[in-house]
Amino acid sequence: MVNDFKIKKYWITALCTVLFSLAGFSQGLSDATIGFNLSKETEVLKKQGLKDEDLTKEIARLRKIKMASFIIIKNKEAAAIQENKMKPLAKSILTKNIKTASKISSLAKTEMECSYDYYRAGRIQYAGGPTYDQNSVKINTPANITFYKYYNGTNGNLSYEWKLYNPDGIVIDTKNTSNFSITLPAVGAYKIVLTLTDAIGCSEFEATLYVRDSNNCVISPEERNGTIYTPRNSDQLVENRESIVTLSPSGFSTNNLIYKWDLFDVNGSNIFTSSEPEFKFTPPAKGQFLINLKITDPNGCSTTYTRNVETVDICTYTQYDDYFDIMAPEESAGGRVSFAKVGQRVTLEPVFFSGGNKEFTYSWKLFDPKGQQIGTGSHRVFPFTPTEPGYYTLTADLTNLETGCILTAKKTVASQIENGCVLTNPKSSEVYELYLKFVKKLIERLVLGETDEQINSSIAMPEFMALKPYIKNGVGDKIYNFVSIQEGYGDQRVNGINFSFSPEREYDIHIYSIDGVYYNSEYSTPEDLEYNISSAIFTNISQYIAADDFFVSCQVINGGKKAKTGKVVLEPYECTRESEVRNIIFCPGEGSNCTPEIVGTIKSNFPFIYPKTEYSFYFETIIPNLTYSWSITSETGEVLSTSDTDITTPYRYTFLNEGIYFVKLTAKNELGCTTNFTKKIIVDNKRCANDSNNFTFETEENGVTYIWTTTDINGNIVDTVTNTSGNYSFTTNTAGTYEVKLTANAEKKCETIFAKTIFVENCTPVVVVSCTQNNPLTPKIHQLFINLINKAATTPNGVDVNTYAKTEIAALAPYTFGPNAKIFNFSNDSSSVSFSFTENYTGIDVYIPKSSQGTITGIDLSKYESSSSKTIVETNYTNGSSNLTNGYVTNIDFCPSIDCTPITGVINIVKRGTASTNKKTNSSSKI
């Protein structure tokens, strides 16, 4: 420790000796030695207007500054030499160094490494600058620069060293006082550097002072700071809507500024101008524009700001205001896929992550796994029940009622089966293991260096031959169209593979992993490789149904799983690991590969299916010795009927109502192999040529125009009707298949809300005689109904119809199916009168059109069948005219078996006296 101290002592003593000895030699250094260019500096100073004595003084001052800079550099070099040697200097070395550095002056202290310190923290400040240009001073105007210290306290012996640099970076002035007073004769940006030193160290600070000449003063936007601020600070403005644009200052005051605003189009034409602090203008149609702002401060200094903007429609401008996703109630935010079991009801609704506090209309569309649209909706919540496994797609269009802008979102619902064949088939796990070994071997070959071409041209591997008995639709003992997926990590990483079992198909197997498989024999073992390949493969065979269909397995990044039949519909990279597999039989019969394949068709001997009639179904096939298990499901997936298992006779079933149904069959061969088949059945009433086919659409919306269109089997339009009633009747004398579509047009929105396929036959018309033709009470009830209609039609505005027409309502009430002697949902206008007999009933029981030429005299009940069915009636008027199609009635019994007479009277409610008075009252109420 003592020796270390002596070394440092000798080093410091020797260094000081050297620096002190050099001090006397600076006087003899030439301009060339110190790097001072006299002719250049003279030229620059003359251009600035200096001459004679002023020019001589400035040159002398600049020479001193250059000399000081040169001496500092040489002192640092000398100090570095001594520090590297770290030992006492011999006299000969001292002499040599002095000679080498002859005529080099020295500072009396060593340079220190400056750093931050709490007691030295602060900033350089100039209090004299105007608020609109704080770091500036006028040319030839004294400026007093000071240091603002943030915290009280000191490390002691605080000293100041100021340096002023001109715009060329040359030191032109220095001081060691606490304040720095300067006067600058030329415009430009001057740098001020302060070295603050105390007893334990130093800190350096910098600031820029701008010298302005008010006669010629332009300040750049970067120097003054600030920006043009538009609504939302966006480069988009709404066309034909007023915009307010302002200056957003940064570090300066806007008081007393002069503004000049201009708006230029792409042709440079000035289309708006203003001198106000706020620039208010209404941009015209869509286009590109330039906002130009010139401000001038009281010193006469100006700054010009520009901003390019684009005018867009309101929908483009607000497209990110209301962000939403479609979600189920129990679902986490941000998921693109919901999960449900076949037959399980799913309820979805829009969930807003931003905005959403507006009024919207809703338009939902549901697509089945095959991409066919199967449902629509117009409420906020959309419920549905998956009827088959796969990925359903649900879209939602939300229309902002204020702007008319449409927000769109899409949701995928994965419908999964619970009782797949692999759960009970004893060979499924064996086939799965053979499949895994095969694809793992292919990936291993890739990782170890084989190319796609080599694998495509190679002979069958043992792993392929082991799997071959369970491969369907394969050609030969090889695979085809093998393609590796390598996403370029800079190594031989394999992310996935595609290949097929037949040359005409792109692929039957697709395996993919985001992380991929990488192997380096220097750092990994074969066991590591086998583990990595296994970790990259994810195939969930629980969702396997049949070899002909892709079943897709997907392990999502957050750990969830989803699987489907049908082609992939998920977005790229949504799955961490995924696979698509087809043409492998994962549910073979015991000891068999399930060949020959079970093929055939569900058949019925009846071309048309009617309600309330029994029909038989059978399986047409050439495969012998099959047994069958049948079931009937509704359109929503509800199981309506099942047969005994493994029957061989045709299956018989009676459909009770119109609608869409599915006949499902599981066919099994002698070896236990099963194949599933489904047939869609449309049950409809019998429709004959020359008979009218009537359709009615009921809605509470007003101002709706209905467009009815009927097309034949070739898509040719055979009939079209546009009306506002929602009623349509179609008659044809040609048998065939027709599709009736209804398009509703309301508030410039068009949407197909109804489509129905009908089958028209050549048949002998069946004459149906209505019970109203023979029932003796029908005329009485008909007259009671007409009395009520005409009374209700004259109800004054603001008057309760149940009070105004109470007598007529009470007279008809015994023959209606309502809980009270009242009517509800009453509507009465110039075109019709309508109401229902139940308060919460969403439909209308009675709708009778009016005529401007007369009152209603009666309705034609010849088509009446029962009170529960809606009867389209012809309405007759006093002027002899008729309305043939628009009126209808339901929930009125026009064919009662007995006559009902209302009983009227008074109910007296007697109030008994209290115990103290025991008096009776004569109060009563009349009902």
Side-chain angles (χ1 to χ4, degrees):
M1 191 67 183
V2 174
N3 289 333
D4 287 344
F5 176 78
K6 288 181 178 178
I7 290 174
K8 292 181 179 179
K9 179 180 178 182
Y10 284 133
W11 175 77
I12 293 172
T13 303
L15 179 60
C16 289
T17 303
V18 172
L19 297 177
F20 182 79
S21 301
L22 296 175
F25 294 92
S26 60
Q27 299 299 325
L29 295 176
S30 66
D31 287 346
T33 300
I34 65 174
F36 183 71
N37 191 328
L38 177 61
S39 60
K40 179 181 178 181
E41 295 295 340
T42 301
E43 181 180 357
V44 170
L45 294 173
K46 285 183 178 180
K47 288 182 179 180
Q48 295 178 2
L50 274 71
K51 55 185 179 181
D52 302 334
E53 183 177 336
D54 292 334
L55 177 62
T56 302
K57 289 181 179 179
E58 186 63 16
I59 289 176
R61 190 179 66 81
L62 293 177
R63 181 182 283 113
K64 289 180 181 180
I65 293 171
K66 196 67 176 178
M67 178 74 73
S69 177
F70 177 77
I71 292 172
I72 290 172
I73 294 172
K74 292 304 179 181
N75 281 337
K76 288 183 178 179
E77 291 176 355
I81 293 172
Q82 298 304 320
E83 185 174 3
N84 289 334
K85 293 186 175 181
M86 292 296 288
K87 63 182 181 179
L89 295 177
K91 182 177 180 181
S92 59
I93 297 176
L94 280 174
T95 304
K96 181 179 180 181
N97 286 337
I98 292 173
K99 290 180 179 179
T100 303
S102 62
K103 298 184 181 181
I104 297 178
S105 180
S106 168
L107 297 178
K109 60 179 180 179
T110 59
E111 295 291 316
M112 285 187 281
E113 185 74 22
C114 291
S115 61
Y116 172 82
D117 181 77
Y118 178 84
Y119 288 115
R120 294 192 298 268
R123 70 175 185 273
I124 297 173
Q125 66 177 10
Y126 166 54
T131 57
Y132 43 79
D133 190 11
Q134 292 183 354
N135 297 322
S136 71
V137 63
K138 289 184 178 180
I139 190 171
N140 296 317
T141 301
N144 187 43
I145 313 300
T146 60
F147 181 73
Y148 176 75
K149 199 165 174 291
Y150 291 151
Y151 311 109
N152 295 325
T154 179
N155 296 319
N157 301 325
L158 192 63
S159 63
Y160 298 80
E161 182 182 348
W162 296 91
K163 294 181 182 178
L164 176 64
Y165 294 81
N166 69 7
D168 295 324
I170 300 172
V171 177
I172 59 174
D173 196 4
T174 62
K175 281 187 175 61
N176 297 106
T177 55
S178 60
N179 62 318
F180 191 25
S181 297
I182 55 176
T183 300
L184 300 172
V187 297
Y190 292 77
K191 184 173 72 172
I192 301 169
V193 177
L194 169 63
T195 302
L196 199 62
T197 306
D198 58 21
I200 64 171
C202 64
S203 298
E204 283 194 354
F205 304 88
E206 288 189 9
T208 301
L209 185 64
Y210 298 95
V211 178
R212 313 291 192 200
D213 184 351
S214 56
N215 295 319
N216 182 19
C217 182
V218 176
I219 305 174
S220 70
E222 294 77 19
E223 183 178 321
R224 194 190 287 268
N225 291 322
T227 184
I228 294 175
Y229 186 85
T230 60
R232 301 188 181 188
N233 202 23
S234 170
D235 290 332
Q236 292 182 335
L237 303 177
V238 182
E239 60 178 341
N240 299 317
R241 174 182 289 189
E242 184 182 63
S243 296
I244 301 177
V245 180
T246 59
L247 170 65
S248 177
S250 177
F252 65 92
S253 170
T254 59
N255 293 337
N256 302 317
L257 294 181
I258 298 174
Y259 294 82
K260 185 181 185 305
W261 294 93
D262 294 288
L263 182 68
F264 298 97
D265 63 16
V266 291
N267 299 317
S269 300
N270 190 331
I271 57 178
F272 288 102
T273 186
S274 174
S275 59
E276 299 296 325
E278 290 186 342
F279 187 26
K280 298 180 180 180
F281 62 93
T282 301
K286 298 176 185 177
Q288 305 288 332
F289 298 91
L290 174 69
I291 300 174
N292 191 91
L293 168 63
K294 180 180 179 181
I295 62 170
T296 305
D297 63 32
N299 279 344
C301 297
S302 66
T303 301
T304 300
Y305 301 89
T306 61
R307 183 163 186 168
N308 292 298
V309 293
E310 174 189 17
T311 52
V312 296
D313 58 66
I314 185 63
C315 296
T316 302
Y317 188 74
T318 60
Q319 60 182 320
Y320 301 112
D321 287 3
D322 300 284
Y323 168 68
F324 77 100
D325 198 0
I326 303 171
M327 293 173 56
E330 70 281 357
E331 192 176 0
S332 299
R336 276 202 289 261
V337 179
S338 290
F339 300 93
K341 300 170 185 175
V342 174
Q344 173 189 342
R345 183 181 175 90
V346 181
T347 301
L348 297 122
E349 61 182 333
V351 175
F352 286 87
F353 300 107
S354 64
N357 55 343
K358 303 175 181 67
E359 293 290 329
F360 296 95
T361 60
Y362 303 88
S363 176
W364 299 88
K365 292 181 182 179
L366 178 66
F367 301 85
D368 66 14
K370 300 179 182 63
Q372 300 296 316
Q373 182 176 329
I374 59 173
T376 60
S378 59
H379 298 287
R380 189 179 190 280
V381 176
F382 187 86
F384 84 99
T385 303
T387 60
E388 59 179 308
Y391 278 173
Y392 290 78
T393 300
L394 180 64
T395 64
D397 290 340
L398 275 60
T399 302
N400 187 316
L401 291 179
E402 179 184 354
T403 64
C405 301
I406 299 176
L407 307 173
T408 300
K410 184 176 76 170
K411 188 73 171 184
T412 301
V413 179
S415 173
Q416 298 180 311
I417 59 175
E418 291 186 288
N419 54 350
C421 62
V422 298
L423 300 179
T424 57
N425 191 289
K427 292 187 70 67
S428 292
S429 59
E430 177 184 333
V431 179
Y432 177 64
E433 289 301 322
L434 294 174
Y435 155 80
L436 282 181
K437 289 180 181 179
F438 175 48
V439 295
K440 284 162 65 175
K441 187 64 178 179
L442 288 173
I443 295 174
E444 178 185 307
R445 291 172 62 182
L446 272 176
V447 173
L448 294 180
E450 288 193 56
T451 64
D452 294 359
E453 292 76 14
Q454 289 173 323
I455 294 177
N456 271 314
S457 61
S458 63
I459 61 174
M461 302 182 300
E463 291 81 2
F464 174 86
M465 298 307 297
L467 181 64
K468 184 183 176 183
Y470 308 101
I471 295 175
K472 186 177 181 181
N473 301 321
V475 177
D477 295 338
K478 69 186 304 292
I479 61 173
Y480 303 87
N481 304 316
F482 182 89
V483 176
S484 61
I485 304 172
Q486 296 176 285
E487 297 187 336
Y489 289 92
D491 51 31
Q492 297 300 314
R493 190 181 306 271
V494 175
N495 292 93
I497 57 173
N498 291 344
F499 64 89
S500 64
F501 299 117
S502 182
E504 76 275 5
R505 294 190 298 271
E506 180 184 357
Y507 66 89
D508 292 319
I509 307 295
H510 163 75
I511 306 292
Y512 176 80
S513 167
I514 285 181
D515 296 328
V517 179
Y518 172 70
Y519 177 70
N520 187 320
S521 59
E522 295 183 14
Y523 306 106
S524 304
T525 65
E527 290 76 17
D528 294 332
L529 176 60
E530 199 279 334
Y531 173 80
N532 291 338
I533 295 175
S534 297
S535 300
I537 301 171
F538 178 74
T539 301
N540 178 17
I541 65 169
S542 70
Q543 298 302 298
Y544 168 85
I545 296 178
D548 290 318
D549 298 322
F550 274 114
F551 74 94
V552 178
S553 304
C554 176
Q555 186 179 56
V556 186
I557 292 174
N558 62 15
K561 299 178 181 178
K562 31 187 180 274
K564 68 178 280 294
T565 55
K567 201 69 178 69
V568 170
V569 296
L570 296 175
E571 300 295 329
Y573 304 110
E574 190 172 8
C575 306
T576 308
R577 300 183 299 162
E578 67 186 33
S579 64
E580 300 174 54
V581 181
R582 69 176 172 182
N583 284 320
I584 295 180
I585 304 167
F586 284 99
C587 289
E590 188 71 25
S592 168
N593 62 3
C594 275
T595 54
E597 178 186 0
I598 300 175
V599 294
T601 307
I602 296 174
K603 291 279 190 175
S604 174
N605 289 329
F606 303 91
F608 306 108
I609 307 295
Y610 305 124
K612 300 179 177 61
T613 304
E614 186 178 65
Y615 295 91
S616 63
F617 300 91
Y618 63 93
F619 188 60
E620 184 178 81
T621 182
I622 60 173
I623 307 301
N625 303 319
L626 298 178
T627 60
Y628 309 102
S629 298
W630 298 85
S631 65
I632 304 291
T633 65
S634 68
E635 186 177 16
T636 62
E638 180 185 1
V639 178
L640 304 177
S641 177
T642 59
S643 72
D644 294 334
T645 58
D646 300 328
I647 65 174
T648 57
T649 57
Y651 178 56
R652 305 182 69 82
Y653 183 73
T654 300
F655 298 93
L656 298 180
N657 301 301
E658 295 179 66
I660 296 175
Y661 299 86
F662 294 94
V663 178
K664 297 188 175 183
L665 166 67
T666 299
K668 183 191 296 183
N669 66 13
E670 296 175 294
L671 300 174
C673 294
T674 61
T675 304
N676 298 315
F677 300 88
T678 300
K679 182 179 180 65
K680 183 179 180 180
I681 299 295
I682 299 177
V683 179
D684 196 8
N685 290 319
K686 187 172 184 177
R687 302 179 186 274
C688 297
N690 298 312
D691 283 354
S692 61
N693 301 280
N694 300 316
F695 303 89
T696 299
F697 181 74
E698 297 178 352
T699 180
E700 295 180 359
E701 290 192 30
N702 298 319
V704 181
T705 301
Y706 302 94
I707 304 173
W708 298 86
T709 305
T710 301
T711 56
D712 62 18
I713 196 171
N714 298 315
N716 300 315
I717 297 177
V718 298
D719 188 47
T720 182
V721 171
T722 300
N723 60 34
T724 58
S725 66
N727 298 320
Y728 173 62
S729 181
F730 167 67
T731 303
T732 179
N733 58 6
T734 305
T737 301
Y738 299 88
E739 184 179 43
V740 180
K741 287 185 177 180
L742 168 62
T743 299
N745 187 336
E747 297 181 357
K748 301 181 180 180
K749 295 179 291 184
C750 243
E751 183 179 3
T752 299
I753 55 177
F754 172 85
K756 182 178 178 63
T757 300
I758 62 174
F759 307 99
V760 178
E761 306 174 56
N762 284 321
C763 51
T764 302
V766 178
V767 177
V768 178
V769 179
S770 171
C771 64
T772 60
Q773 306 303 307
N774 302 313
N775 192 295
L777 296 176
T778 298
K780 172 186 175 181
I781 301 166
H782 174 266
Q783 188 58 51
L784 293 175
F785 175 76
I786 296 301
N787 292 343
L788 172 58
I789 288 295
N790 284 322
K791 183 71 172 181
T794 60
T795 304
N797 290 333
V799 176
D800 182 4
V801 68
N802 286 293
T803 301
Y804 181 74
K806 63 181 179 180
T807 302
E808 290 76 10
I809 294 172
L812 185 64
Y815 307 103
T816 65
F817 289 83
N820 304 303
K822 298 179 68 176
I823 63 176
F824 303 91
N825 305 312
F826 176 67
S827 176
N828 180 32
D829 55 33
S830 61
S831 63
S832 66
V833 60
S834 62
F835 52 83
S836 60
F837 298 111
T838 304
E839 182 174 9
N840 296 323
Y841 181 49
T842 57
I844 296 297
D845 290 325
V846 174
Y847 180 91
I848 300 298
K850 293 180 179 180
S851 171
S852 60
Q853 304 299 321
T855 59
I856 299 167
T857 60
I859 59 173
D860 180 11
L861 294 170
S862 61
K863 296 179 182 179
Y864 176 85
E865 295 182 4
S866 68
S867 61
S868 61
S869 60
K870 179 182 290 186
T871 302
I872 306 298
V873 297
E874 176 184 339
T875 306
N876 302 312
Y877 307 99
T878 54
N879 66 344
S881 64
S882 299
N883 187 309
L884 302 178
T885 60
N886 286 348
Y888 61 85
V889 294
T890 188
N891 284 324
I892 302 177
D893 187 0
F894 284 101
C895 295
S897 57
I898 60 173
D899 192 9
C900 298
T901 302
I903 300 174
T904 60
V906 175
I907 298 176
N908 289 317
I909 302 175
V910 180
K911 298 183 179 179
R912 298 187 180 277
T914 62
S916 60
T917 62
N918 197 25
K919 293 181 180 180
K920 295 183 179 179
T921 68
N922 293 321
S923 299
S924 63
S925 297
K926 184 177 181 180
I927 299 180

